[in-house]
Amino acid sequence: MSNYKFIVNPEYKPYASFVESLPRRFDAEGETVYDGRNMVKIFVEKGQKLVVKRYKRPMLHQRIDYTFIRKSKARRAYDFGLRFIECGIDTPEPVACIEEHKFGLFRTGYFVSTYCGDPDLRVLREEPKDDLIEAFAHLVVAMHEKGVLHGDLNLSNILYREDKAEFCGYHFTVIDTNRSRFVGEPTKHQCLRNMMRISHERLLNKQIIGRYAELRGWDKDECVASVERMLGAFEKRRSLRRKIKFKKKG
């Protein structure tokens, strides 16, 4: 028998009954927008679109970890979303999180947030617009100067729309924040490492990192070269892991 812990944002108390019904409704209802490692669905409740993400059921050692040692991904997504907003960084508003336990151990989690229908920055792969790159570089500088290191800083996790009222003419919404870190003053190495996986396309990466470095007053070529080395090492490790995994399956 499963036990559930529900945390609902006080601003969204009218949705408490919806949140509590999600474990039994999730599989059969809602519009699926992503079905991979995790599953993401959109529900419409009281006329508002809500995004519900159910995280993949973790391995046993992770279940123990999330039960006794650290917060689950769902809880971190909820807490970090609120913290991003406190820092002045836009992200879909956290509505609730749900943690399921079975036989005393964490089993899986759900994160509920408001919906943002803006496109993501993967558009830069097709059309590397200078003004959008400029605005994005300013966003990353602002996050780092506030001590926010996004846990998976890549183009798909940054949503955007044109907004003349905003600085540089664009408004950004940051998503998938559950692996982020908050540090007092991140070092130069931490900042550059945080940007390592913005894009695996070298020319686009060079443009973004280069402009970021200029805004920080750092040596542009040195920063680009440093990120290139880190990204190259990461890609080699990933390729090796994939080869080992393929051999095991064979």
Side-chain angles (χ1 to χ4, degrees):
M1 184 72 176
S2 293
N3 295 311
Y4 295 93
K5 179 180 179 180
F6 301 96
I7 297 176
V8 180
N9 186 334
E11 298 293 325
Y12 289 89
K13 274 190 176 180
Y15 296 88
S17 60
F18 163 74
V19 172
E20 292 171 4
S21 72
L22 276 172
R24 68 174 183 272
R25 295 173 57 184
F26 187 84
D27 285 326
E29 300 180 35
E31 174 192 352
T32 302
V33 293
Y34 179 77
D35 186 3
R37 182 174 57 183
N38 307 305
M39 180 175 282
V40 181
K41 289 189 171 187
I42 294 175
F43 287 78
V44 179
E45 182 70 12
K46 300 183 186 298
Q48 179 165 342
K49 280 187 176 182
L50 297 174
V51 178
V52 183
K53 182 175 187 177
R54 182 174 66 188
Y55 291 89
K56 177 185 176 182
R57 192 172 302 170
M59 304 289 285
L60 179 59
H61 70 278
Q62 294 171 312
R63 294 178 63 192
I64 295 170
D65 188 21
Y66 293 152
T67 302
F68 301 108
I69 300 173
R70 61 179 177 142
K71 293 180 179 179
S72 67
K73 290 182 179 181
R75 181 60 187 269
R76 278 180 278 149
Y78 178 84
D79 290 346
F80 290 178
L82 293 175
R83 194 159 177 182
F84 266 69
I85 292 171
E86 287 177 2
C87 290
I89 303 165
D90 194 24
T91 189
E93 285 192 65
V95 173
C97 75
I98 305 168
E99 293 181 324
E100 178 188 357
H101 289 76
K102 192 168 186 178
F103 303 122
L105 289 180
F106 177 86
R107 190 167 187 247
T108 191
Y110 302 74
F111 172 57
V112 187
S113 72
T114 55
Y115 171 80
C116 177
D118 295 339
D120 63 54
L121 281 181
R122 283 178 291 185
V123 67
L124 288 175
R125 296 176 185 171
E126 303 165 9
E127 186 182 1
K129 297 169 62 176
D130 290 342
D131 62 337
L132 188 50
I133 289 173
E134 175 76 12
F136 177 48
H138 275 277
L139 170 70
V140 181
V141 169
M143 286 198 295
H144 287 174
E145 289 183 340
K146 292 174 180 178
V148 178
L149 298 173
H150 189 287
D152 189 8
L153 187 58
N154 67 69
L155 299 178
S156 66
N157 285 332
I158 309 294
L159 313 182
Y160 79 98
R161 68 173 181 270
E162 291 190 40
D163 187 340
K164 300 301 180 184
E166 294 278 349
F167 180 68
C168 290
Y170 289 94
H171 179 84
F172 294 104
T173 302
V174 182
I175 61 173
D176 201 9
T177 63
N178 73 86
R179 285 182 284 175
S180 298
R181 291 189 295 141
F182 302 87
V183 299
E185 294 183 20
T187 65
K188 182 178 180 180
H189 176 76
Q190 286 176 315
C191 291
L192 294 178
R193 186 170 185 81
N194 186 233
M195 301 177 71
M196 178 180 70
R197 294 176 60 194
I198 282 178
S199 174
H200 290 267
E201 296 182 22
R202 295 313 199 259
L203 180 58
L204 178 56
N205 225 23
K206 183 177 180 179
Q207 289 177 276
I208 297 169
I209 304 300
R211 184 57 186 137
Y212 171 91
E214 290 174 339
L215 292 171
R216 298 299 302 264
W218 297 343
D219 184 277
K220 176 180 176 179
D221 294 335
E222 177 190 320
C223 290
V224 170
S226 178
V227 173
E228 281 284 316
R229 287 194 298 272
M230 288 187 280
L231 179 58
F234 168 80
E235 290 176 338
K236 286 181 181 179
R237 290 193 302 272
R238 185 175 65 175
S239 177
L240 180 60
R241 286 196 299 269
R242 286 176 174 173
K243 287 179 181 178
I244 292 172
K245 188 176 181 180
F246 179 77
K247 286 182 180 179
K248 285 182 177 179
K249 286 184 177 180

